[in-house]
Amino acid sequence: MNYPTHLQYSKSHEWIHTEDGVAVIGISDFAQHALGDVVFVNLPGEGDEVTAGKAFGDVESVKAVSDLVSPVSGTVCAVNEELLDAPELLNSQCYDAWIIKVEGVTATEELLDAAQYEAFCQQEG
């Protein structure tokens, strides 16, 4: 598994990178491995509010449908519409294929650094 150290992570397996006050959010390597081949992504709209710990969309794979859980609270300011036509990017480029960008970010207390997240994933098996 790959755990880039410049990112933070949630226990629901989303990664977050903050650039100029905007949180860029995607799914981790652990998540994409657990999901299997992603075939569809249901995304929120720009301007939608997201809440830390609450679902903001879902990912459908050949195995199941899984919620995308926001690691922070704020307002969606961008959506990666490329994923609508190429959801498999979440498998092949999980740390480049961001899902949403969020501004006005709050509720970051639960985020883990790479070492903490790796230890959490090892506990989850």
Side-chain angles (χ1 to χ4, degrees), residues 54-124:
K54 304 285 184 188
F56 65 84
D58 54 58
V59 176
E60 184 177 337
S61 72
V62 293
K63 293 181 182 180
V65 176
S66 300
D67 283 340
L68 293 166
V69 178
S70 185
V72 297
S73 296
T75 304
V76 177
C77 61
V79 175
N80 187 351
E81 294 185 7
E82 184 178 13
L83 296 176
L84 298 175
D85 294 326
E88 66 277 3
L89 291 174
L90 291 175
N91 293 115
S92 63
Q93 303 172 23
C94 67
Y95 293 116
D96 293 322
W98 57 277
I99 299 170
I100 60 172
K101 294 183 180 183
V102 177
E103 60 188 2
V105 173
T106 61
T108 60
E109 301 82 19
E110 299 293 320
L111 296 176
L112 307 173
D113 66 24
Q116 292 168 322
Y117 181 66
E118 183 174 6
F120 174 76
C121 289
Q122 288 174 349
Q123 288 175 347
E124 288 225 320

Side-chain angles (χ1 to χ4, degrees), residues 3-9 15-19 95-96 113-114:
Y3 308 98
T5 57
H6 70 285
L7 301 175
Q8 292 180 292
Y9 302 87
W15 58 259
I16 178 172
H17 178 67
T18 304
E19 300 174 348
Y95 293 116
D96 293 322
D113 66 24

Side-chain angles (χ1 to χ4, degrees), residues 2-35:
N2 184 12
Y3 308 98
T5 57
H6 70 285
L7 301 175
Q8 292 180 292
Y9 302 87
S10 68
K11 289 184 176 179
S12 55
H13 305 291
E14 286 80 18
W15 58 259
I16 178 172
H17 178 67
T18 304
E19 300 174 348
D20 301 323
V22 174
V24 181
I25 298 169
I27 63 169
S28 71
D29 194 27
F30 183 94
Q32 71 87 16
H33 270 96
L35 285 167

